[in-house]
Amino acid sequence: MNIKIIRKIVGITLLVTFYNFPLSSQSSEKYSLFYSVPYFEPRLINPIHGSYYIEGVQANELMYSRLWTWKKDISETSDLVDGITPKSLLTMLVPAMKGSNLWSWKIKIRPGLKWPDGRPLTAEDVKFSFEVYSADKTKSALKELLDIFREIRVIDDETIQFFVEPEDIRRARYVLPLVQILPKHKVGTNYLLKNSQFSKKPVGSGPFQFVPKKSMLTKFVFEKNANYHRWGKHSNISSVKVLEERVVGAVINKLVPDKREENWGTLDIVLNVPNSRFNFQNLKSQGDHLTFTPYSSNSWYGIALNCEKPFLQNRHIRIALTHALDIQKAIDDNYTTVKKGGVDESVAHRISGPFNPLWGAGDDSKTPRKYDPKEAKKKLDKNGVVKKKGGRYYKGKPVHLTLIYNQGRILKGSAEESVIKAIDRSLKRIGIEVTADALPAKVFIERLESGDFDMAFQYYELSYGGNVAPLFTEDNTQNICRFSDPILDSYLDNYNKSSGVERKEYGKKIHQIVYNEAPYIFLYRLDRIMAYRNELETHENFVPKYFFTHIYNWYFKD
């Protein structure tokens, strides 16, 4: 599969009430799977409004199904459509009929599919889901991608046809599985709002369903869906239990016990273990009962600079701030190393722009700006940021910047918290005072939207296509740096419409503009380390970003 074509998918979780549908409780299904996350939003358990953060994307993977999905290597595999292979996908293509230039994808879902309440899941639900995602009132991040479908036609209960222009034939293959299917009889309206009734009572056709009656505060329960269409023969997991835990030490303490217990006191899997030098080595030294697996993610950390603030409107000042930070030292001091090919390698790697180079986008020739405090001071001096009374002044006023960050994302005792402190110290060394504000997630988002900040420590998890357009598009809520450029707009648009060599060239041009204008201090991309108990059999089948795609085949070894 060409992973460069797939676009943006956002997602997570919403508050709900009790369901009236059967959740299985067979005697052989005797285990609960416990895992922890630093942040969880129980009011957004739906795939449209609940996928704005990585933990939500993963929770939605428990709840909902797609037409087809992905294997660990990102090749396509079956979900609601059975027998997916490269050859079977080609047989779905129907050439344009006489009098029309529209080609189509004719898709047949499995027979006998059911929702958790026993109602049939049909092609009508599939059509309805695509329409809900595409509705203006829904405001889905996938809307622009879904506009390629000129018509969606239900043939019968199991067959549906998607019509596209000839230039969108190939693209459609990668857009079709992005939509997670919704129950028409539960959603009710042909659009979905954050505060809709469905948001209070979400239902999917995935392997596990959220049970709000058994969830509270920082503990959330998903129970097995007896009507799920592809349980593995060895599956013995009856529920998935999610613990919101924001203290690194507490996560370690729940992983360390070698004897597993069926309660919230132990964890079975952590998708992103504490990765500071001290915490990881401490965990690993006590973890003979754990398997540790490093993996790459299409993500990066950066500091968004609010380009609407007078002080930060000057790109030379923005570049000076980058030179002032010893980012490599912060990495070396705080992040652990892991073995890769027999060599110790840091999990954090410097970046110079908005693309993760491992995912085939951007300009590899652009190296990260070096730590150079002399150059930083020189640029500040030349651009009216004068040194006076032990500090820096701009237009007669002392420079004092506010750096905000999401305390739900940055755990206490984490490497990221230490990096933020290092940033504070570096800027003070060149005479710039900084106040670092740890904010609750809701307040953090409000401050980003209002522009009430100078700098924001931010984390981005990109889709396989690496669509960064929202980060630099005027009036887009994700454009927190408030930077845009008409030439950049054109490149971003063409990047998302092209493929292959042409797409890569537009990616380079995007990278070059963003590098030169410096609306972000680009810090590093980060590999992750997963830990799980040896008695949990996963077949190492973890799909990057989504993880729980194949949980139906996982089981605890008796």
Side-chain angles (χ1 to χ4, degrees):
M1 164 179 171
N2 183 347
I3 63 175
K4 296 180 183 177
I5 298 180
I6 297 186
R7 302 282 200 266
K8 226 169 47 179
I9 188 169
V10 254
I12 182 57
T13 24
L14 229 14
L15 204 155
V16 226
T17 48
F18 186 61
Y19 305 126
N20 307 328
F21 47 75
L23 298 168
S24 73
S25 56
Q26 301 173 20
S27 58
S28 62
E29 295 156 358
K30 57 187 179 182
Y31 291 100
S32 293
L33 175 74
F34 291 87
Y35 80 96
S36 76
V37 294
Y39 179 70
F40 198 79
E41 180 48 82
R43 295 171 299 172
L44 289 173
I45 301 178
N46 73 63
I48 293 178
H49 300 297
S51 292
Y52 71 93
Y53 68 111
I54 188 64
E55 293 83 2
V57 170
Q58 292 157 358
N60 281 327
E61 204 70 0
L62 294 171
M63 279 275 294
Y64 300 94
S65 300
R66 310 169 189 274
L67 290 175
W68 56 85
T69 186
W70 306 280
K71 297 179 184 178
K72 183 178 181 178
D73 63 359
I74 316 302
S75 61
E76 293 111 330
T77 190
S78 301
D79 197 347
L80 294 179
V81 179
D82 198 9
I84 290 292
T85 65
K87 186 175 179 180
S88 74
L89 286 165
L90 292 177
T91 64
M92 297 177 189
L93 265 180
V94 179
M97 304 296 286
K98 188 175 180 180
S100 171
N101 71 327
L102 296 181
W103 283 56
S104 65
W105 286 81
K106 192 173 184 180
I107 296 168
K108 194 173 185 67
I109 61 175
R110 300 171 189 258
L113 292 170
K114 292 181 180 180
W115 293 104
D117 61 5
R119 292 278 291 269
L121 190 165
T122 70
E124 198 61 56
D125 290 300
V126 176
K127 180 176 186 288
F128 171 77
S129 300
F130 276 77
E131 290 172 345
V132 169
Y133 272 77
S134 300
D136 289 337
K137 291 179 72 173
T138 299
K139 296 182 179 178
S140 165
L142 296 182
K143 183 184 185 314
E144 184 179 346
L145 298 178
L146 297 173
D147 285 345
I148 66 173
F149 299 116
R150 300 305 182 197
E151 181 187 354
I152 303 175
R153 187 183 301 168
V154 171
I155 308 301
D156 56 41
D157 281 352
E158 296 168 8
T159 314
I160 186 167
Q161 204 162 0
F162 295 83
F163 291 84
V164 295
E165 301 283 355
E167 62 267 27
D168 291 321
I169 292 170
R170 187 164 173 264
R171 192 177 175 195
R173 170 176 171 174
Y174 304 110
V175 175
L176 283 165
L178 297 182
V179 170
Q180 289 174 292
I181 307 306
L182 302 166
K184 184 175 181 179
H185 68 288
K186 290 290 186 180
V187 176
T189 58
N190 61 359
Y191 56 88
L192 186 64
L193 305 179
K194 282 186 178 181
N195 59 354
S196 67
Q197 285 302 307
F198 180 78
S199 296
K200 297 176 182 177
K201 298 181 179 181
V203 179
S205 59
F208 293 92
Q209 300 294 299
F210 183 54
V211 186
K213 189 175 181 179
K214 296 184 180 181
S215 303
M216 61 186 76
L217 298 175
T218 60
K219 298 175 181 178
F220 310 96
V221 177
F222 293 76
E223 290 190 346
K224 191 167 187 175
N225 172 13
N227 286 327
Y228 183 61
H229 54 276
R230 53 175 183 166
W231 284 114
K233 63 180 180 179
H234 299 298
S235 176
N236 56 9
I237 300 173
S238 61
S239 63
V240 175
K241 296 181 177 180
V242 187
L243 175 68
E244 183 183 73
E245 180 54 76
R246 300 180 184 179
V247 179
V248 169
V251 175
I252 292 174
N253 289 340
K254 290 178 174 63
L255 270 175
V256 162
D258 56 3
K259 184 177 180 181
R260 181 185 182 276
E261 297 181 5
E262 275 286 313
N263 58 48
W264 297 94
T266 58
L267 294 171
D268 299 306
I269 186 168
V270 176
L271 305 183
N272 186 18
V273 299
N275 54 16
S276 72
R277 283 182 173 274
F278 172 79
N279 287 323
F280 181 65
Q281 295 306 322
N282 179 34
L283 177 58
K284 197 171 180 181
S285 67
Q286 304 178 65
D288 289 343
H289 58 292
L290 298 172
T291 295
F292 295 93
T293 304
Y295 61 95
S296 299
S297 66
N298 194 7
S299 60
W300 52 269
Y301 280 93
I303 302 171
L305 303 175
N306 188 344
C307 298
E308 288 185 345
K309 297 287 186 176
F311 176 70
L312 295 170
Q313 288 175 358
N314 185 323
R315 75 180 184 91
H316 297 290
I317 292 175
R318 300 196 295 265
I319 291 171
L321 297 183
T322 301
H323 282 304
L325 305 185
D326 194 347
I327 299 167
Q328 190 58 54
K329 186 175 188 303
I331 289 172
D332 295 340
D333 287 349
N334 295 294
Y335 284 103
T336 190
T337 59
V338 292
K339 290 283 186 186
K340 286 191 175 181
V343 178
D344 282 331
E345 184 179 304
S346 176
V347 295
H349 310 267
R350 289 289 314 272
I351 58 171
S352 62
F355 297 108
N356 184 330
L358 290 182
W359 294 72
D363 186 349
D364 293 340
S365 70
K366 292 294 182 185
T367 57
R369 287 191 170 93
K370 295 180 180 180
Y371 171 58
D372 190 342
K374 288 184 178 179
E375 180 66 17
K377 292 174 182 177
K378 182 179 176 182
K379 283 186 177 293
L380 293 177
D381 291 339
K382 281 188 173 182
N383 289 276
V385 188
V386 298
K387 191 174 181 180
K388 186 168 60 172
K389 299 178 182 178
R392 289 275 175 177
Y393 281 70
Y394 182 70
K395 295 186 176 180
K397 295 181 179 179
V399 177
H400 192 142
L401 303 179
T402 300
L403 169 64
I404 64 173
Y405 63 95
N406 182 350
Q407 66 183 20
R409 170 66 60 188
I410 309 301
L411 301 183
K412 292 180 180 178
S414 66
E416 290 76 32
E417 185 181 54
S418 296
V419 168
I420 289 170
K421 292 177 180 177
I423 290 167
D424 185 341
R425 291 192 298 269
S426 291
L427 292 177
K428 284 179 178 174
R429 280 197 290 269
I430 62 167
I432 293 178
E433 287 296 316
V434 177
T435 297
D437 282 347
L439 304 174
K442 183 179 179 181
V443 178
F444 178 71
I445 292 170
E446 289 171 352
R447 292 276 291 274
L448 291 179
E449 291 176 348
S450 68
D452 184 16
F453 70 96
D454 299 301
M455 303 184 293
F457 188 88
Q458 187 64 303
Y459 164 87
Y460 291 106
E461 180 87 24
L462 302 178
S463 65
Y464 299 120
N467 178 20
V468 298
L471 305 186
F472 306 108
T473 300
E474 189 173 5
D475 296 328
N476 191 299
T477 56
Q478 293 186 57
N479 183 3
I480 60 174
C481 63
R482 272 83 174 160
F483 172 81
S484 61
D485 177 273
I487 297 175
L488 179 60
D489 289 343
S490 173
Y491 291 157
L492 289 166
D493 185 53
N494 286 318
Y495 176 81
N496 286 330
K497 289 179 178 178
S498 59
S499 60
V501 174
E502 183 183 17
R503 180 181 174 86
K504 189 169 180 61
E505 287 304 310
Y506 280 119
K508 285 183 178 180
K509 292 176 180 179
I510 292 166
H511 192 144
Q512 289 161 6
I513 289 178
V514 175
Y515 179 87
N516 292 332
E517 295 295 331
Y520 277 82
I521 299 174
F522 293 102
L523 298 174
Y524 44 82
R525 63 177 175 85
L526 193 62
D527 294 338
R528 293 184 176 144
I529 309 167
M530 174 173 51
Y532 58 95
R533 293 186 175 273
N534 295 335
E535 60 260 52
L536 177 63
E537 179 58 73
T538 65
H539 306 288
E540 290 287 330
N541 201 350
F542 303 105
V543 177
K545 183 176 179 179
Y546 302 105
F547 273 97
F548 295 117
T549 304
H550 301 284
I551 193 173
Y552 62 89
N553 256 338
W554 298 4
Y555 60 90
F556 284 95
K557 304 169 198 171
D558 291 318

